[in-house]
């Protein structure tokens, strides 16, 4: 019988969830779903100086929004210290770890000396061979020991990475590293391994930057006599200029994309294709991702974050999604864009939002763009494009528009068909063609020279507002 796949996503709450981290979470989640496995969430919050507990909730919210729900956890390393101590004691009792009494000052001195001699500052193993007299003296002095792992003095460690392939590390480059600090806090590598063992993790899928930690972690597995998990290090996500993706490149946090009106399925689809491929297919449903995902198809080189492509996918999903759902998703944007108050946004009839979606989604790349026309559809407080009034609302046309206002006053019901019929009849009576008033009419009604179909727009704006705006035409 094969073992159940158990994977984990292990963010440190030191920053928001960014696209790189979200992709790591997604790959873990997809792998778990594909193999009917378990996806575990664990917060690595032992770094008290850098932790920001207020980020836990936004990270959870990011994962929920992306639909990457965890089956177990969230676990918090800060609540697991007794487990780390128990496992550290085991190594100590078996002679695989030892107490180190070196003070931070002593260690710093040695470090400086090594650096001055252009050597890698590795621990010299002094306390590995401490005489009992020295040890007693240190205890008497009240020194609190740290715990170090005894590692083999020479040899190589080979990581067989599921994405990177074979990577060799020379043990001469490593030292007896600390597993428990003198204040009792576990080090990063130790806590990760104890957690991965006790949580039964079968595949460690994580960011590339941790590859250098893997040999240390493998030494810990060896010391515990525990079989290794499969390691898979996911390459970095870089900006277009191949530098590290950061704020200066624009939005990078998951919730920023949400707030700009990206759909979760678009971001998931985009992130999945960021370094993973399946032929040249670009659009994947969640089910297709699960079915086709495999670690072998993750590219070992860095992936480049391309916002345009994300927006292209978003546009695709805006066109393909249920208009009712999109309509509801517009409500918060009406508030965020300063178009309506919260109460007003709640009161907009669903059908109106659905109509907006239907007539504007061909042109919108984000929900925010899709919500923007609401300014002139649902309120009277909208800007006029610079120059458009002078150019299109000449007196002659304004007269025509004012006449159209009267012709539309009696239209019942105020729907596309009836509006169009009445408009054409009025234009015929004036001996004018639609194209003579189409642009002026649009400018008078929306302040803009582009938009959706004129009659659809009129229906959405509603009779009263249409008539009022046409009557005012030219008086701007
Ligand atoms: N806590 C680490 C990070 O946020 C992840 C460690 C791991 O996955 O092993 O980068």
């Amino acid at each position: 019988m094969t073992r159940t796949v158990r994977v984990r996503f292990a963010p440190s709450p030191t920053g928001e969830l960014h696209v790189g981290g979200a992709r790591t979470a997604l790959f873990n989640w997809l792998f778990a779903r594909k193999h009917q496995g378990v996806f575990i969430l664990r917060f690595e919050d032992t770094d008290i100086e850098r932790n920001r507990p207020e980020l836990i909730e936004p990270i959870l919210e990011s994962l929920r929004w992306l639909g990457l729900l965890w089956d177990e956890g969230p676990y918090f390393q800060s609540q697991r210290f007794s487990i780390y101590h128990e496992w550290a004691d085991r190594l100590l009792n078996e002679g695989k770890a030892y107490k180190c009494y070196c003070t931070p000052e002593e260690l710093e001195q040695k470090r400086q000396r090594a650096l001055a001699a252009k050597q890698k500052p590795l621990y010299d193993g002094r306390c590995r061979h401490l005489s009992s007299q020295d040890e007693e003296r240190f205890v008497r002095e009240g020194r609190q020991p740290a715990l170090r792992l005894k590692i083999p003095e020479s040899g190589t460690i080979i990581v067989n990475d599921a994405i990177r392939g074979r990577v060799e590390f020379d043990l001469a480059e490593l030292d007896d590293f600390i597993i428990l600090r003198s204040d009792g806090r576990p080090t990063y590598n130790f806590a990760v391994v104890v957690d991965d063992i006790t949580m039964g993790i079968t595949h460690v899928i994580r960011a590339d930057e941790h590859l250098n930690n893997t040999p240390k972690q493998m030494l810990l597995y060896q010391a515990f006599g525990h079989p290794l998990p499969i390691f898979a290090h996911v390459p970095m996500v870089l900006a277009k200029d191949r530098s590290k993706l950061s704020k200066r490149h624009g939005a990078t946090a998951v919730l920023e994309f949400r707030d700009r009106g990206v759909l979760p399925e678009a971001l998931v689809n985009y992130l999945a294709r960021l370094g993973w491929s399946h032929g040249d297919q670009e659009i994947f449903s969640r089910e297709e991702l699960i079915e086709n995902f495999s670690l072998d198809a993750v590219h070992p080189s860095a992936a480049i974050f391309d916002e345009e492509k994300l927006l292209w996918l978003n546009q695709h999903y805006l066109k393909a999604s249920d208009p009712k759902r999109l309509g509801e998703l517009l409500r918060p944007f009406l508030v965020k864009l300063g178009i309506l108050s919260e109460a007003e946004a709640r009161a907009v009839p669903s059908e109106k939002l659905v109509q907006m979606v239907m007539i504007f989604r061909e042109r919108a790349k984000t929900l925010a763009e899709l919500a923007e026309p609401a300014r002139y559809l649902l309120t009277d407080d909208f800007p006029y494009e610079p120059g458009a009034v002078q150019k299109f609302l000449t007196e002659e046309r304004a007269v025509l528009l004012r006449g159209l206002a009267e012709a539309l006053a009696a239209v019942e019901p105020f729907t596309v068909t009836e509006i169009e019929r009445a408009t054409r009849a009025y234009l015929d009576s004036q001996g004018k063609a639609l194209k003579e008033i189409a642009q002026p009419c649009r400018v008078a009604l929306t302040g803009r020279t582009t938009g959706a179909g004129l009659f659809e727009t009129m229906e959405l704006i509603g009779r009263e507002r249409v008539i009022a705006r046409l009557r005012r035409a030219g008086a701007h």
Side-chain angles (χ1 to χ4, degrees), residues 8 10-12 42 44 188 192 196 204-206 209-210 217:
R8 82 300 193 277
S12 306
R42 173 171 91 215
E44 305 207 319
Y188 160 74
V192 165
D196 286 344
V204 171
I205 306 170
R206 64 178 166 206
E209 59 190 351
H210 293 293
Q217 297 186 7

Side-chain angles (χ1 to χ4, degrees), residues 46-265:
T46 57
D47 187 346
I48 18 189
E49 289 87 38
R50 293 181 56 229
N51 270 346
R52 291 169 52 198
E54 72 278 13
L55 289 177
I56 303 274
E57 188 45 43
I59 294 174
L60 293 175
E61 181 53 25
S62 305
L63 292 170
R64 283 189 211 110
W65 180 73
L66 289 168
L68 306 181
L69 296 185
W70 48 97
D71 308 304
E72 258 182 47
Y75 295 105
F76 291 87
Q77 287 191 327
S78 57
Q79 294 168 7
R80 297 170 53 84
F81 277 25
S82 61
I83 302 174
Y84 306 132
H85 290 178
E86 210 178 285
W87 282 68
D89 282 346
R90 230 173 96 182
L91 294 181
L92 187 64
N93 294 338
E94 289 171 9
K96 292 173 177 164
Y98 60 90
K99 292 181 180 172
C100 171
Y101 294 88
C102 296
T103 63
E105 296 75 33
E106 286 167 347
L107 293 172
E108 183 54 27
Q109 267 175 19
K110 284 184 198 180
R111 215 178 78 86
Q112 291 303 336
R113 242 176 280 143
L115 288 176
K118 299 214 173 341
Q119 282 163 357
K120 195 171 171 186
L122 295 174
Y123 182 61
D124 61 5
R126 180 173 77 144
C127 293
R128 184 167 175 161
H129 312 287
L130 207 59
S131 68
S132 44
Q133 292 94 312
D134 281 344
E135 176 155 11
E136 277 163 28
R137 181 165 56 84
F138 289 149
V139 173
R140 248 182 287 120
E141 284 173 9
R143 291 194 189 192
Q144 288 298 321
L147 228 52
R148 287 183 186 271
L149 183 74
K150 259 184 206 169
I151 72 161
E153 269 151 38
S154 60
T156 49
I157 296 253
I158 292 157
V159 182
N160 284 311
D161 192 275
I163 296 171
R164 302 285 302 261
R166 183 188 153 103
V167 189
E168 239 183 79
F169 291 88
D170 188 348
L171 275 173
E173 297 280 311
L174 297 182
D175 58 6
D176 288 349
F177 57 92
I178 293 180
I179 56 176
L180 221 52
R181 297 187 180 86
S182 55
D183 63 6
R185 274 186 304 140
T187 53
Y188 160 74
N189 284 309
F190 186 66
V192 165
V193 171
V194 171
D195 282 349
D196 286 344
I197 291 178
T198 53
M199 294 175 190
I201 301 300
T202 55
H203 296 74
V204 171
I205 306 170
R206 64 178 166 206
D208 217 351
E209 59 190 351
H210 293 293
L211 182 60
N212 283 330
N213 288 315
T214 307
K216 288 186 181 176
Q217 297 186 7
M218 286 170 69
L219 289 167
L220 281 165
Y221 278 94
Q222 255 170 38
F224 286 127
H226 198 275
L228 291 172
I230 306 274
F231 289 102
H233 287 90
V234 182
M236 302 260 289
V237 179
L238 300 178
K240 263 191 165 163
D241 59 7
R242 300 199 70 85
S243 66
K244 200 172 172 228
L245 191 63
S246 74
K247 278 256 170 278
R248 74 192 161 85
H249 298 106
T252 52
V254 168
L255 295 184
E256 271 179 90
F257 288 109
R258 179 197 63 181
D259 294 344
R260 284 177 47 190
V262 169
L263 294 169
E265 59 269 40

Side-chain angles (χ1 to χ4, degrees), residues 335-356:
V335 180
K336 231 180 306 192
L337 295 171
I339 300 173
L340 297 180
S341 70
E342 259 178 58
E344 286 166 338
R346 262 198 308 275
V348 179
S350 302
E351 312 82 70
K352 205 150 197 155
L353 296 172
V354 170
Q355 273 179 309
M356 270 179 67

